[in-house]
C-alpha cells in the first residue's frame, strides 16, 4: 500500500511537470473547483466632497497651470479594486481645469461620460462640435471620438467623469492617440449627432417621472438614453438621475451590477450591506455587485443623485439580475 502511494506521487509530479512543459494544466489535480471562484473585490465606499474639494483645489500646486495640466484629475480609489478605480468596471474621477487651460485633443478606446459639477465657462469639443458644459450637463465622448476640453471662464471648473477603461483594459484593447495641436478646429455647418443632455432637460424629465409611479428600489429614477436608439449612452455604462423625495425609504434589493453615485443635491443615507453611509451634496459612493442596498431621505428637501452603473454591460452578457432583499 505505502509502496503504491510513494510511487504514484512522484509519477504524478513528473506528469504535471510534463504538462507544464507542454503549457497545459490539469486543474483537477488541485483541490477545489475547476474554475476558481473570485471574491468580489469592490467594496462599499463613500468619498466626501469636503475631503475631495480642498485636495482638488490644491492640485495645481503640484500639477502646474498651463500646458501639461491638461488632465488634472483625482480618481476615486476603491480600496478593494487592485486597479484603484471606483468600481472594477468603471473609473470615476473629478477633474479641475483653471481659467484659460485646455485639455488637448485626443481619442481613446474607452468611452467617457462627463457630468458637470462647478464653475462657468467649461466646454468639450467632440469631433469638431463644441458644447458648453454647465452645472448638471452630461456630455458623452464615445470610444475613439476626438475630444478636447477648455475653460473659457474666469474661475476654475470641476466636472466628474466616468470611463469604462477597466473593462477595455481587461479586454486588452486600451489604445489612444494624441491630436496634432491642442484644440480641434470647430466644424462649420450643423453639428453631427452627439449625446449632450442639459441639466434643464434631464431635470424636467425627472420631474415628469415624479408624477407617475415611484420605483420601490429607487423612488423616482430616469436613465439618460440615446434618443435615436433608445439605448444606454454607451454600451458598458448607463447614466441615471434620480430623486429621493422627502421622507422616502426605498426597499432593499441586490443587483448583479455595480454603481457609483454622486450626490447632486440634498442629503440622505444609503444602507449598503448592513452599513449605513450618510451622504450630502457633492459626495460620491460606490455599491458593489450583489450587495443589498436601500436609500433613505429622512430630510424635508428632495435628494438628487446621479449615477454611473454597469447595467448595460451586465444585460448584454445576460447576467443582469435584480432581487428583493429582506430588510
Ligand atoms: Fe479623454
Ligand atoms: Fe439599486
Amino acid at each position: 500500500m505505502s509502496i503504491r502511494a510513494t510511487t504514484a506521487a512522484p509519477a504524478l509530479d513528473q506528469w504535471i511537470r510534463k504538462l507544464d512543459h507542454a503549457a497545459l494544466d490539469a486543474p483537477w489535480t488541485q483541490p477545489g473547483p475547476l474554475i476558481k471562484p473570485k471574491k468580489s473585490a469592490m467594496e462599499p465606499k463613500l468619498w466626501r466632497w469636503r475631503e475631495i474639494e480642498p485636495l482638488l483645489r490644491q492640485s495645481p500646486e503640484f500639477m502646474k497651470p498651463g500646458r501639461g495640466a491638461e488632465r488634472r484629475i483625482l480618481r476615486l480609489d476603491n480600496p478593494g479594486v487592485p486597479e484603484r478605480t471606483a468600481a472594477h468596471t468603471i473609473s470615476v474621477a473629478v477633474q479641475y481645469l483653471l481659467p484659460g487651460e485646455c485639455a488637448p485633443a485626443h481619442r481613446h478606446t474607452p468611452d467617457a461620460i462627463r457630468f458637470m459639477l462647478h464653475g462657468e465657462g467649461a466646454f468639450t469639443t467632440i469631433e469638431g462640435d463644441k458644447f458648453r458644459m454647465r452645472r448638471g450637463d452630461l456630455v458623452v465622448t464615445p470610444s475613439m471620438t476626438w475630444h478636447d476640453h477648455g475653460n473659457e471662464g474666469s474661475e476654475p471648473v470641476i466636472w466628474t467623469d466616468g470611463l469604462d477603461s477597466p473593462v477595455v483594459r481587461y479586454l486588452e484593447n486600451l489604445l489612444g492617440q494624441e491630436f496634432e495641436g491642442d484644440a480641434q478646429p470647430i466644424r462649420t455647418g450643423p453639428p453631427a449627432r452627439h449625446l449632450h443632455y442639459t441639466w434643464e432637460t434631464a431635470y424636467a424629465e425627472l420631474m415628469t417621472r415624479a408624477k407617475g409611479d415611484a420605483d420601490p428600489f429607487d423612488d423616482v429614477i430616469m436613465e439618460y438614453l440615446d434618443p435615436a436608439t433608445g439605448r444606454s449612452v454607451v454600451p458598458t455604462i448607463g447614466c441615471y438621475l434620480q430623486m429621493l423625495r422627502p421622507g422616502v425609504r426605498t426597499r432593499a434589493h441586490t443587483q448583479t451590477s455595480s454603481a457609483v453615485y454622486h450626490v447632486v443635491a440634498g442629503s440622505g443615507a444609503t444602507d449598503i450591506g448592513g452599513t449605513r453611509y450618510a451622504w450630502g451634496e457633492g459626495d460620491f459612493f460606490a455599491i458593489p455587485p450583489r450587495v443589498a442596498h436601500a436609500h433613505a431621505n429622512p430630510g424635508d428637501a428632495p435628494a438628487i443623485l446621479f449615477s454611473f452603473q454597469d447595467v448595460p454591460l451586465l444585460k448584454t452578457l445576460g447576467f443582469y439580475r435584480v432581487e428583493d432583499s429582506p430588510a
Side-chain angles (χ1 to χ4, degrees):
M1 248 166 77
S2 63
I3 290 167
R4 192 184 170 87
T6 50
T7 54
L12 176 63
D13 286 351
Q14 208 171 37
W15 187 67
I16 288 173
R17 274 197 298 277
K18 282 183 188 168
L19 286 177
D20 283 347
H21 197 72
L24 296 169
D25 176 32
W28 41 267
T29 56
Q30 301 297 318
L34 295 190
I35 299 173
K36 298 267 180 287
K38 181 173 180 277
K39 195 172 158 285
S40 176
M42 186 185 167
E43 293 173 14
K45 171 76 187 157
L46 174 70
W47 293 268
R48 296 211 175 272
W49 186 246
R50 65 161 186 264
E51 283 193 288
I52 298 169
E53 191 185 10
L55 291 167
L56 193 61
R57 293 199 186 274
Q58 284 161 11
S59 62
E61 288 174 37
F62 306 100
M63 191 197 242
K64 296 293 180 204
R67 186 77 173 84
E70 52 259 33
R71 282 172 172 101
R72 192 186 288 113
I73 62 163
L74 295 182
R75 198 175 278 151
L76 306 186
D77 176 7
N78 189 301
V81 178
E83 291 78 14
R84 305 192 64 180
T85 50
H88 56 300
T89 48
I90 311 169
S91 176
V92 177
V94 282
Q95 186 160 348
Y96 195 64
L97 208 59
L98 296 172
E101 281 187 333
C102 160
H106 71 182
R107 62 179 185 172
H108 38 68
T109 46
D111 294 297
I113 302 144
R114 260 156 276 273
F115 184 78
M116 193 65 200
L117 301 183
H118 293 287
E120 290 290 331
F123 69 88
T124 291
T125 303
I126 308 165
E127 297 283 315
D129 295 322
K130 189 172 175 177
F131 297 96
R132 290 247 152 264
M133 290 173 14
R134 297 195 174 86
R135 183 168 161 78
D137 290 356
L138 185 83
V139 176
V140 182
T141 57
S143 179
M144 288 314 274
T145 51
W146 291 109
H147 55 279
D148 58 85
H149 319 284
N151 178 0
E152 297 174 320
S154 55
E155 53 175 335
V157 295
I158 302 173
W159 64 75
T160 183
D161 55 28
L163 282 83
D164 58 8
S165 50
V167 175
V168 179
R169 188 171 175 272
Y170 177 75
L171 296 173
E172 299 190 7
N173 274 276
L174 197 58
L175 304 166
Q177 204 177 358
E178 298 302 317
F179 192 73
E180 284 190 37
D182 286 353
Q184 301 168 70
I186 304 303
R187 277 170 8 108
T188 50
R193 209 176 65 80
H194 296 288
L195 296 178
H196 173 232
Y197 307 82
T198 64
W199 172 251
E200 289 72 23
T201 312
Y203 190 72
E205 176 61 27
L206 191 65
M207 290 306 107
T208 305
R209 298 289 172 97
K211 292 174 194 150
D213 292 338
D215 183 283
F217 308 114
D218 286 300
D219 201 26
V220 182
I221 187 162
M222 57 149 267
E223 184 182 357
Y224 295 79
L225 297 173
D226 181 338
T229 62
R231 296 212 180 106
S232 302
V233 290
V234 297
T236 41
I237 303 172
C239 293
Y240 304 81
L241 191 66
Q242 78 187 81
M243 173 169 65
L244 303 173
R245 292 165 299 167
V248 158
R249 176 176 290 275
T250 67
R251 230 159 71 198
H253 70 170
T254 61
Q255 291 165 279
T256 50
S257 51
S258 53
V260 182
Y261 282 85
H262 171 72
V263 183
V264 179
S267 59
T270 298
D271 185 289
I272 312 171
T275 303
R276 185 184 160 90
Y277 295 84
W279 38 255
E281 188 173 320
D283 293 351
F284 290 82
F285 59 95
I287 304 178
R290 299 176 305 279
V291 176
H293 57 274
H295 309 288
N297 177 8
D300 49 21
I304 307 289
L305 302 174
F306 171 81
S307 60
F308 298 112
Q309 306 197 27
D310 60 9
V311 170
L313 177 60
L314 275 281
K315 280 186 175 168
T316 298
L317 297 173
F319 299 150
Y320 186 63
R321 300 284 183 277
V322 183
E323 275 171 28
D324 243 305
S325 172

